[in-house]
């Protein structure tokens, strides 16, 4: 039965399927737009399938850069991701995907649904290719067994010829179907005048098949009478089995990371002006929309709670599974899960502006990068492959003199066993696995090279407020200075007014348990906030009150503050004083001790009062504590330490920390910090836990150790196997098994970091 054309789904890869990607609304899920010197530019993230080595990444990059309008393309073979910067006025997303497919690979937008479909399709194809190769290899071995066990002339020449024909016929599906991707990738690399891992493999396969075919149809010809169809099919089976296991490991890591970031729903229940509810795509939400969020559903955007009280699971952002209580007016984070009951929220930020999307973007950028260690391995892989080709030709020439019958398969063994897949995967597989593990802890790495610097760090500078101490001070005292409280219950009124401000001291008042119910009990009107001073509002009796600094309430510019305080009263008179103290983060002492025990010098650089900075430094046992430091002072301190040969790190959260975060060898911004500080940092501690910073250093050291293990293994493998292949002790099927197991060992060793 044929579906009507209006209902029929487009075939995979069709123009209709690709044209959907050019819809600006759909592009929000995988594209961000930036303003550059050449106008408005776009950066799109893709998942790429069919890659097996770092050289494949170079082939794809070259194909993308040939598209008119593509300004930059970065492809990470280990993460199988591509990051493309392009000019929307000159090209389209569909053209980018067509370029990747034209190079012999496949690409889909880096969003959850198409990524899952791509993995399913890639796994299914890999299984079929492996099944065909393995099944045919068994049949070839059955045909070849009589030739191995028979001696002398026990098998008639015509029967031996018939068996060889059977081997040739059964080997055809293996060559054309199972080995098809390798041959195509090698051809595309040669056309692009590049050399990839598949080039020597494909050359070895073709030489083996052609020589064996010549021996089958013309036993007296130049290729002799020996056939190698059994080695040919067994090699492809072993290679595909190794690549299938490697692909499974990559998919498992990708799925684990995807699950940790897959918090945003695909649809939302939007309230229309007439009160009716309509289900829309989250891509259609706009700031100002009111959305109903059922129990157990995820908040579809960033916004504020309007109706209802609930708890939210914000582990996606913080790594902390303890639910967070939210009341009307509180900020809600897209991707967190509603655990309390049905509520209504007002949307404030959507799409790329949400905190969830910022985390996803950070992870995409990190996974699309090629770290320095990987670039070093890639730089050596190309020349190494040329050396492999020369070694193979040289071995064939030497063995053609020593033993012409063995020259062919010695050359093939050399071509196969020396494929540097393990070398190219050594660094990126480990660093990508470590990045995924850190993401699940609430540390979002934006630059993979930062892990190498973090492992070598020996001096860490830290900001005070919001980093070593809580971003909100603790309300510790309440003092009644004047007034009789007859007109209003002043303390509760102050708490209700504090909810109108985002200042840390006001938020400390508003979030205190003593503030429960105050917002509903007092209806302030005409509320306005004076930046740096405080709030002013009118009570139901028409009297004007102020909450803020002592000078603001007294309307006297010279009135000095008495410590950390918030004053409250009618204009011109302070009736209440609320005192505050800084609170150290619960894990600050343990984190500092752990860092110092690991040989890291921990120093405090703060712009706050020197006495407070010294007090915090003394309480934590820091190596140095300096207060009153301007951004230039912080920058100078880090530069001086770097000039002395130290590898310096910086942890901060404020706008004034951005320059020093950019200058440090490795930098961390706290998740609640200013946007500019998060942009300049190498990683964002979205969990706001200093213990995770210690864990990140430990994991980075382990990751660099595993990279070294992988590189050592790759060197040992090649040093041992190349002489064996040159000496003729390694048949092609054993060479294929060794190469597959070598790559699998590297990937498996790296995946230990993901646990």
């Amino acid at each position: 039965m044929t579906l009507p054309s209006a209902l029929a789904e487009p075939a995979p890869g069709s123009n209709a399927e690709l044209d959907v990607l050019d819809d600006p609304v759909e592009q929000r899920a995988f594209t961000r737009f930036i303003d550059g010197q050449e106008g408005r530019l776009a950066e799109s993230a893709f998942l790429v399938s069919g890659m097996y080595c770092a050289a494949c990444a170079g082939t794809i990059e070259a194909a993308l850069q040939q598209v008119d309008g593509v300004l930059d393309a970065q492809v990470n073979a280990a993460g199988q991701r591509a990051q493309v910067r392009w000019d929307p006025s000159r090209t389209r997303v569909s053209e980018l995907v067509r370029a990747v497919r034209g190079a012999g690979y496949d690409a889909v937008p880096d969003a959850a649904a198409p990524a899952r479909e791509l993995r399913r399709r890639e796994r299914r194809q890999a299984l079929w290719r492996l099944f065909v190769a393995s099944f045919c290899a068994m049949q070839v071995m059955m045909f070849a067994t009589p030739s191995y066990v028979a001696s002398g002339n026990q098998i008639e020449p015509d029967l031996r010829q018939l068996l060889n024909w059977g081997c040739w016929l059964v080997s055809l599906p293996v060559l054309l179907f199972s080995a098809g991707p390798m041959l195509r990738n090698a051809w595309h690399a040669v056309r692009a005048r590049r050399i990839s891992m598949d080039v020597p493999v494909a050359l070895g396969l073709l030489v083996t098949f052609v020589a064996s075919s010549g021996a089958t149809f013309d036993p007296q010809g130049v290729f002799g009478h020996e056939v190698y169809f059994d080695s040919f099919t067994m090699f492809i089976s072993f290679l595909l089995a190794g690549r299938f296991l490697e692909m499974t490991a990559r998919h498992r890591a990708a799925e684990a990371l995807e699950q940790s970031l897959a918090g945003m729903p695909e649809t939302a229940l939007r309230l229309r002006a007439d009160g009716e509810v309509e289900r829309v795509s989250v891509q259609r939400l706009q700031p100002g929309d009111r959305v109903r969020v059922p129990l157990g559903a995820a908040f579809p955007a960033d916004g504020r709670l309007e109706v209802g009280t609930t708890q939210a699971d914000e582990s996606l952002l913080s790594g902390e599974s303890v639910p967070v209580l939210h009341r009307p007016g509180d900020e809600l984070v897209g991707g967190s899960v509603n655990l309390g009951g049905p509520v209504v929220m007002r949307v404030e930020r959507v799409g790329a502006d949400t905190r969830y999307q910022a985390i996803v973007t950070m992870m995409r950028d990190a996974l699309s990068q090629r770290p320095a260690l990987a670039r070093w391995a890639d730089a050596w892989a190309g020349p190494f492959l040329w050396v492999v080709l020369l070694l193979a030709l040289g071995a064939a020439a030497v063995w053609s003199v020593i033993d012409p019958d063995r020259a062919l398969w010695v050359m093939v063994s050399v071509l196969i066993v020396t494929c540097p897949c393990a070398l190219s995967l050594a660094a990126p597989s480990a660093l990508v696995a470590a990045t995924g593990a850190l993401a699940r802890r609430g540390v979002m790495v934006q630059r993979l090279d930062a892990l190498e610097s973090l492992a070598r760090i020996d001096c860490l500078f830290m900001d005070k407020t919001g980093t070593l101490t809580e971003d909100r001070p603790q309300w510790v005292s309440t003092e009644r200075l004047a007034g009789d409280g007859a007109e209003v219950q002043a303390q509760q009124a102050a708490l209700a007014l504090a909810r109108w401000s985002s200042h840390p001291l006001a938020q400390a008042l508003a979030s205190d348990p003593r503030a429960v119910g105050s917002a509903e009990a007092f209806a302030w009107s005409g509320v306005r906030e004076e930046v740096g001073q405080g709030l002013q509002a009118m009570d139901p009796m028409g009297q004007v009150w102020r909450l803020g600094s002592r000078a603001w309430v007294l309307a006297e510019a010279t009135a000095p503050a008495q410590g950390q305080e918030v004053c409250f009263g009618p204009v011109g008179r302070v009736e209440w004083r609320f005192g505050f103290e800084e609170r150290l983060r619960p894990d600050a002492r343990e984190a500092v001790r752990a860092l110092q025990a690991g040989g890291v010098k921990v120093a405090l650089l703060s712009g706050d009062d020197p006495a407070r900075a010294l007090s915090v430094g003394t309480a934590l046992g820091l190596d140095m504590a300096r207060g009153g430091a301007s951004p230039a002072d912080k920058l100078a301190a880090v530069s001086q330490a770097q000039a002395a040969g130290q590898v310096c790190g910086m942890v901060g959260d404020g706008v004034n920390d951005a320059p020093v975060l950019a200058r440090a060898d490795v930098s961390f911004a706290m998740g609640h910090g200013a946007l500019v500080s998060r942009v300049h940092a190498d990683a964002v501690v979205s969990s706001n836990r200093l213990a995770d910073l210690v864990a990140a250093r430990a994991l980075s050291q382990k990751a660099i150790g595993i990279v070294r293990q992988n590189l050592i293994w790759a060197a040992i493998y090649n040093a041992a196997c190349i002489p064996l292949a040159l000496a003729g002790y390694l048949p092609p099927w054993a060479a294929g098994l060794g190469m597959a197991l070598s790559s699998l060992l590297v990937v498996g060793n790296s995946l230990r970091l993901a646990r």
Side-chain angles (χ1 to χ4, degrees), residues 555-604:
E556 297 178 4
T558 59
Q562 299 177 10
Q564 276 195 302
E565 65 176 5
V566 169
C567 295
F568 177 66
V571 178
R573 185 172 80 242
V574 175
E575 292 192 357
W576 290 80
R577 177 186 178 275
F578 304 99
F580 298 85
E581 288 183 358
E582 287 184 309
R583 293 181 296 179
L584 291 175
R585 290 192 177 276
D587 57 351
R589 287 187 175 86
E590 291 77 6
V592 169
R593 289 196 199 102
L595 289 169
Q596 291 174 333
V600 178
K601 178 183 177 182
V602 184
L604 173 62

Side-chain angles (χ1 to χ4, degrees), residues 20 35 90 109 119 130 137 184 324 329 339 384 453 479 494 512 517 630 649 651 665 684 702:
V20 172
D35 294 326
R90 295 165 57 191
R119 287 196 297 268
L130 176 59
R184 284 196 301 271
V324 180
L339 302 178
F384 181 77
S453 301
E479 188 177 356
D512 192 275
S630 66
V651 186
D665 296 293
V684 176
K702 186 176 181 181

Side-chain angles (χ1 to χ4, degrees), residues 115-451:
R116 287 193 297 269
E117 174 60 24
L118 181 64
R119 287 196 297 268
R120 186 197 67 79
R121 189 165 65 242
E122 185 179 19
R123 180 182 177 84
R124 183 170 179 270
Q125 292 176 350
L127 270 175
W128 270 111
R129 297 185 195 281
L130 176 59
F131 169 76
V132 170
S134 302
F135 181 79
C136 292
M138 289 188 290
Q139 301 304 312
V140 170
M141 286 302 299
M142 289 176 60
F143 292 142
T145 299
S147 299
Y148 288 126
V149 300
S151 60
N153 296 321
Q154 289 181 333
I155 301 181
E156 295 296 330
D158 57 345
L159 182 57
R160 185 185 298 273
Q161 189 72 359
L162 180 62
L163 291 174
N164 288 345
W165 287 348
C167 291
W168 177 83
L169 185 63
V170 176
S171 298
L172 280 177
V174 181
L175 176 69
L176 300 178
F177 177 69
S178 297
M182 306 177 208
L183 301 178
R184 284 196 301 271
N185 293 344
W187 171 243
H188 286 296
V190 171
R191 286 184 59 189
R193 296 183 180 180
R194 303 178 64 90
I195 186 168
S196 70
M197 311 300 179
D198 283 324
V199 171
V201 172
L203 184 59
L205 292 177
L206 291 175
V207 168
T208 304
F209 187 81
V210 170
S212 299
S213 299
T216 297
F217 294 101
D218 187 9
Q220 308 304 322
V222 65
F223 294 108
H225 64 279
E226 293 291 339
V227 296
Y228 305 98
F229 291 117
D230 52 345
S231 296
F232 171 79
T233 53
M234 286 178 64
F235 162 66
I236 294 178
S237 299
F238 288 141
L239 181 58
L240 290 179
R243 289 188 174 184
F244 178 78
L245 293 175
E246 177 191 330
M247 179 197 69
T248 301
R250 286 199 316 268
H251 285 186
R252 191 171 299 160
E255 288 166 1
L257 182 60
E258 185 179 284
Q259 288 174 2
S260 66
L261 296 177
M264 195 68 76
E266 296 181 356
T267 60
L269 300 175
R270 184 168 61 186
L271 296 175
R272 297 200 308 238
D274 58 5
E276 294 296 322
V277 178
E278 60 177 348
R279 184 175 293 275
V280 298
S281 167
V282 293
Q283 307 293 342
R284 299 287 181 182
L285 291 179
Q286 298 291 333
D289 286 346
R290 298 176 71 243
V291 176
R292 178 183 296 170
V293 184
L295 172 65
F299 295 102
D302 289 356
R304 293 197 176 273
L305 185 61
E306 276 203 348
V307 180
T309 300
T310 188
Q311 290 182 319
D313 177 3
E314 298 182 355
S315 57
L316 168 74
L317 301 166
S318 66
E320 179 59 59
S321 59
V322 177
V324 180
L325 177 65
H326 290 291
R327 301 186 182 91
D330 286 351
E331 184 178 1
L332 299 172
V333 180
S336 58
V337 180
N338 179 21
L339 302 178
V343 296
V344 175
M345 68 172 293
R346 184 172 293 277
V347 175
E348 292 185 345
R349 293 181 298 276
V350 298
D353 296 331
T354 61
R355 288 177 61 186
Y356 166 84
Q357 192 60 42
I359 291 176
V360 173
T361 300
M362 280 190 288
M363 295 308 301
R364 283 176 179 167
D365 290 347
L367 294 175
S368 299
Q369 293 171 8
R370 196 175 294 170
L373 286 171
R375 292 194 296 270
W376 174 84
D378 295 347
W380 279 99
F384 181 77
L385 286 171
W386 285 111
V387 172
V388 167
L389 294 176
L390 293 176
L391 277 176
L393 293 175
V398 172
W399 275 96
S400 64
V401 177
I402 300 174
D403 187 353
D405 291 338
R406 303 179 65 185
L408 176 66
W409 69 262
V410 168
M411 182 184 72
V412 172
S413 296
V414 173
L415 286 171
I416 292 171
V417 79
T418 51
C419 184
C421 293
L423 177 66
S424 294
L425 291 171
S429 60
L431 297 182
V432 168
T435 300
L438 288 176
R440 290 192 293 276
R441 288 189 65 97
V443 180
M444 306 299 168
V445 178
Q446 301 189 80
R447 188 173 63 88
L448 288 182
D449 286 337
L451 294 178

Side-chain angles (χ1 to χ4, degrees), residues 586-632:
D587 57 351
R589 287 187 175 86
E590 291 77 6
V592 169
R593 289 196 199 102
L595 289 169
Q596 291 174 333
V600 178
K601 178 183 177 182
V602 184
L604 173 62
L605 283 178
S606 174
D608 205 350
D609 180 69
R612 292 181 191 167
L614 182 60
S615 175
V616 171
T618 302
L620 293 176
L622 300 181
D623 299 281
M624 184 193 80
R626 177 181 175 184
S630 66

